[in-house]
Amino acid sequence: MLSHMHLAQLNIAHLRAPIDSEELAEFVALLEPVNALADEAPGFVWRLKESESDPTATVTHDYGDLLLVNFSVWESPESLWNYVYRSPHLGVLRRRREWFLRAAEPYMVMWWVPEGTIPSLAEAMERLERLKTEGPGPEAFTFKDSYGSIEAASLPAAAEARK
């Protein structure tokens, strides 16, 4: 069944300051290379972009000005895992506390979509809310849960990145 499914993922982060502030200038400078890395990663399918011409443009939405949204589709949990934890993205991820507030509730969710399907941001936010209210299940899960095809949470890079 999952051979014809792709993995959708949403993660959100609350910025410490407005995106155009000096405090976030280094983060903004990293957007283009990190997004290019994702676009070229094995197993990458799609990501939500604000602009095709400006690789530093962050997604505009109705969920709050200081909420950064990262929304993408991957061929498998392994391909997403490899991009997040086994590529230069990990170095940027380890610096997230410099730019984002610490999250007290789930900020990342994954779910299966039929191959060729691009879910909406509204659906992604609903999936995150479902994870927050109901906990993990087949409709909304994380790397830690058994609804994907790898037991990624036990790998060393994930433990280090969660600190």
Side-chain angles (χ1 to χ4, degrees), residues 2 77 110 112 136-138 141-152:
L2 294 181
M110 299 183 295
W112 294 106
F141 53 90
T142 69
F143 279 125
K144 291 186 238 181
D145 310 309
S146 60
Y147 305 99
S149 60
I150 61 172
E151 295 299 323

Side-chain angles (χ1 to χ4, degrees), residues 25-102:
E26 192 172 359
F27 172 75
V28 171
L30 291 167
L31 283 172
E32 184 173 4
V34 168
N35 285 336
L37 188 66
D39 292 348
E40 297 164 9
F44 170 82
V45 175
W46 169 88
R47 71 179 166 86
L48 182 61
K49 297 178 187 178
E50 182 62 27
S51 168
E52 289 296 329
S53 61
D54 181 0
T56 66
T58 55
V59 174
T60 303
H61 53 75
D62 296 327
Y63 300 100
D65 291 341
L66 295 181
L67 186 73
L68 192 70
V69 171
N70 179 296
F71 180 29
S72 59
V73 175
W74 295 79
E75 290 178 356
S76 67
E78 293 87 355
S79 58
L80 175 59
W81 174 267
N82 287 335
Y83 165 70
V84 173
Y85 297 111
R86 291 195 174 123
S87 79
H89 172 272
L90 181 59
V92 177
L93 178 64
R94 286 183 171 145
R95 295 182 59 195
R96 70 190 176 281
R97 300 269 186 301
E98 294 176 35
W99 308 302
F100 307 115
L101 300 176
R102 177 167 272 210

Side-chain angles (χ1 to χ4, degrees), residues 107-146:
Y107 57 89
M108 190 264 202
V109 65
M110 299 183 295
W111 69 100
W112 294 106
V113 296
E115 185 176 344
T117 299
I118 302 299
S120 69
L121 181 56
E123 177 186 356
M125 295 299 278
E126 289 168 9
R127 299 276 183 158
L128 182 60
E129 188 59 32
R130 182 178 194 155
L131 180 65
K132 289 176 188 178
T133 59
E134 299 175 19
E139 302 297 317
F141 53 90
T142 69
F143 279 125
K144 291 186 238 181
D145 310 309
S146 60

